[in-house]
Amino acid sequence: MKQGVGISIVLFFSIHCLGFAQSDCTCLSSLDSLSHKISLNYAGYEDKVNEKTRNHYERMVQELRALASKSPSRRACFELLARYVNFFEDKHLQIGDYNPDDFTRIYEPFTEKDARQLLRNASAESPEGIWIEPSGEKKVAILKDGKRSGAFKALVIESSDPNFKPGQLYYRLQNRGGFYEVESFGSALLSAKSRGKHYKNLFYNYGPWMRQYPHQPNLAEQREFEAWKNNGKGLMCYKMTDSVVFLKIPTFGMQGNQLENFINKYDSLIRATPYLIVDVRHNGGGNIGMELLLPYLCSEPFVVKGGLMKSSEDNNRAFESDYAGDTVLVRRLRQNLGKLVSQPDLSLQYEPLPNPKKVVILQNDQCGSATEYSLQIVKNFKKVTTMGGFTMGMMDYGDLRGPADLPCRDFKCVIPMVKSPWTDTEPIDRTGIKPEVRILLPEYEWPARAVEYLQGN
């Protein structure tokens, strides 16, 4: 499962005034190119720009074009482009600025000694503390950020990456209730902020950070953190009890056959045990999904409904590569430019296994993209129960490929090309996917609750 207006003629402005590197790169040309590509290639365009929203959309475009024509700085231009993209309220539809000269670098005179002095009385329930990442490349101190409620900042203490110096602002965090909104500094500018989750001495933002001070991680936290080292991707599999196997897959962003090799390693253990917990919390998706787990999850034939492909010259180059052997579908795509074309359904059946007899899948609000696609497929299987919280909500439109080219080369946009089969009847982007069983307990207690559920307590 893969994840991932007309162009106006513009006046030439001097490169010195614009601060742009290429002769055809202006803010207005980038905005016009972006809106043109989205209108042609985005599978959700007609759903989002409709009778109710068209006037608002056109006023926004007019306002942004007027601002873009005034030769804003690159940073200001990116913020205009991000405003345009964020109109669509689709976490898959994103733009980034990857020019290092545009990154915000903020420094404070700060040392680890300063951090230890300030943080010695920090609460374990707060994200304050000194944290390291699995690679050991960076160490940061998370501190309260001014007087704003729930606001924190992460400052670099040590880094082997020459792009990050001691005292440099690395993150800003804002508590949003069940998660932290994370704004990154010193790397790519992105139109969408990420979500972070704090659990005692682990902080998840894609991968985990582990707290070293003033609180010490317990053995379970250390074990989870260690599973990310050496490109381990956090994969874990072990027996929680004599009758329950715990399988943790916190990312689908893997290369090659890493997950397949891992599943094969524990296949005999899973098949010999009555119950299975699949923990996909924090899994924001990637280039694969739960395909390798289907033999353990399903006991009856099922059909994966095809989505709706947005036919366009750009999209069809990718679609025709995927479906080169389906000449009828390829012909339909070519004959229906600008329209949505149905993907074929996929019928699957696996030989029923005696074990696992029951499966719990743990999900939370960091589950997105390919993870949500997989959950939509497996949540109704007879032996599967989804437990935990609502997912992130970012899979009504998907199938992301290489970024779209814009006149300014460092501005890159990814555009979802396929509308999911449930989008019209059961959309998830605003709500996320509801679990079959909500768990209203701290998340570190969820695995134990799943064990109780499986064992009938």
Side-chain angles (χ1 to χ4, degrees):
M1 302 172 197
K2 303 181 181 72
Q3 298 287 283
V5 181
I7 299 180
S8 301
I9 299 174
V10 297
L11 296 174
F12 176 78
F13 296 92
S14 83
I15 296 174
H16 174 74
C17 293
L18 284 167
F20 290 102
Q22 301 109 262
S23 60
D24 61 340
C25 166
T26 68
C27 191
L28 185 56
S29 68
S30 293
L31 176 60
D32 285 343
S33 177
L34 176 65
S35 62
H36 181 67
K37 288 178 181 294
I38 287 176
S39 69
L40 291 178
N41 301 321
Y42 177 39
Y45 184 82
E46 284 73 19
D47 291 340
K48 304 299 179 72
V49 182
N50 53 44
E51 290 183 2
K52 293 182 179 180
T53 64
R54 189 174 303 279
N55 288 339
H56 171 62
Y57 171 80
E58 290 177 350
R59 287 195 301 270
M60 177 197 68
V61 171
Q62 185 177 11
E63 177 190 354
L64 293 179
R65 293 194 80 249
L67 293 170
S69 67
K70 296 179 180 179
S71 304
S73 67
R74 280 187 60 99
R75 177 61 184 261
C77 180
F78 173 76
E79 291 173 355
L80 292 179
L81 301 180
R83 274 185 61 191
Y84 176 81
V85 167
N86 288 335
F87 164 84
F88 296 94
E89 296 183 328
D90 184 337
K91 300 180 187 70
H92 263 150
L93 181 65
Q94 292 192 34
I95 188 167
D97 179 0
Y98 296 86
N99 184 342
D101 293 335
D102 298 336
F103 302 163
T104 300
R105 292 185 171 86
I106 301 172
Y107 295 88
E108 297 183 23
F110 195 77
T111 66
E112 182 164 349
K113 182 179 179 181
D114 297 328
R116 288 180 176 270
Q117 178 69 20
L118 289 170
L119 296 168
R120 63 186 186 278
N121 296 320
S123 167
E125 304 307 314
S126 164
E128 295 171 279
I130 295 175
W131 301 78
I132 59 170
E133 60 180 356
S135 68
E137 187 177 77
K138 297 182 190 71
K139 180 189 291 187
V140 302
I142 297 181
L143 313 156
K144 289 182 178 177
D145 189 9
K147 297 181 179 180
R148 290 183 302 142
S149 176
F152 301 87
K153 60 185 176 182
L155 300 177
V156 176
I157 294 176
E158 294 178 9
S159 175
S160 59
D161 182 342
N163 294 312
F164 294 93
K165 308 295 184 185
Q168 185 173 346
L169 180 65
Y170 191 71
Y171 285 144
R172 275 205 175 107
L173 314 174
Q174 180 62 52
N175 192 335
R176 297 299 184 194
F179 64 92
Y180 285 86
E181 187 176 74
V182 181
E183 183 179 9
S184 298
F185 291 83
S187 56
L189 301 175
L190 301 174
S191 56
K193 296 180 176 68
S194 60
R195 289 187 177 190
K197 299 283 285 189
H198 173 226
Y199 310 96
K200 294 193 174 181
N201 296 304
L202 293 177
F203 188 94
Y204 264 90
N205 183 37
Y206 300 111
W209 292 72
M210 186 172 71
R211 180 156 47 190
Q212 291 187 312
Y213 178 88
H215 306 284
Q216 300 297 313
N218 59 35
L219 290 177
E221 291 167 336
Q222 292 180 45
R223 182 182 188 181
E224 187 167 334
F225 185 75
E226 290 290 326
W228 282 86
K229 291 186 176 181
N230 302 315
N231 200 39
K233 299 295 184 180
L235 296 172
M236 301 172 66
C237 188
Y238 57 89
K239 269 197 166 186
M240 287 188 69
T241 71
D242 288 343
S243 61
V244 180
V245 167
F246 180 81
L247 173 62
K248 188 174 185 68
I249 308 176
T251 179
F252 287 129
M254 304 179 201
Q255 298 299 318
N257 56 356
Q258 181 176 1
L259 182 58
E260 181 179 8
N261 290 340
F262 184 83
I263 296 297
N264 288 340
K265 179 179 178 180
Y266 293 99
D267 176 69
S268 59
L269 176 65
I270 295 171
R271 290 173 183 258
T273 311
Y275 306 128
L276 173 65
I277 297 172
V278 180
D279 186 352
V280 292
R281 289 175 298 167
H282 323 302
N283 192 325
N287 51 340
I288 54 175
M290 295 190 197
E291 301 95 320
L292 296 170
L293 303 181
L294 290 176
Y296 309 127
L297 306 181
C298 67
S299 55
E300 61 280 330
F302 65 98
V303 175
V304 180
K305 295 289 294 181
L308 297 168
M309 302 179 286
K310 179 68 177 287
S311 175
S312 70
E313 296 288 355
D314 290 338
N315 291 353
N316 289 353
R317 281 190 285 273
F319 293 146
E320 291 176 13
S321 174
D322 291 346
Y323 298 99
D326 191 338
T327 56
V328 174
L329 179 59
V330 170
R331 184 168 62 251
R332 288 176 56 217
L333 286 166
R334 293 174 180 172
Q335 292 173 345
N336 288 278
L337 287 176
K339 299 179 180 179
L340 295 172
V341 176
S342 297
Q343 287 176 317
D345 296 343
L346 178 63
S347 298
L348 295 172
Q349 182 173 1
Y350 295 89
E351 181 180 350
L353 298 176
N355 287 317
K357 293 177 174 60
K358 294 182 182 178
V359 180
V360 161
I361 298 180
L362 291 177
Q363 62 181 61
N364 70 357
D365 58 6
Q366 283 191 310
C367 293
S369 193
T371 307
E372 289 179 305
Y373 196 100
S374 295
L375 286 167
Q376 287 286 69
I377 293 171
V378 307
K379 67 181 184 180
N380 293 320
F381 289 176
K382 291 180 181 179
K383 67 163 69 175
V384 170
T385 301
T386 57
M387 298 181 67
F390 284 82
T391 62
M392 186 185 302
M394 60 177 298
M395 197 55 227
D396 284 343
Y397 307 92
D399 200 336
L400 311 179
R401 307 299 174 95
D405 294 326
L406 299 179
C408 300
R409 290 192 297 268
D410 292 316
F411 292 156
K412 300 183 184 298
C413 182
V414 289
I415 302 174
M417 306 187 302
V418 175
K419 180 177 177 176
S420 296
W422 58 77
T423 302
D424 287 333
T425 57
E426 192 184 1
I428 67 167
D429 276 5
R430 290 186 180 274
T431 62
I433 301 171
K434 181 181 179 180
E436 186 176 348
V437 178
R438 288 289 304 276
I439 307 180
L440 302 177
L441 295 169
E443 283 198 35
Y444 58 84
E445 297 184 33
W446 289 11
R449 178 69 186 90
V451 171
E452 292 174 357
Y453 180 88
L454 287 168
Q455 295 180 338
N457 298 324

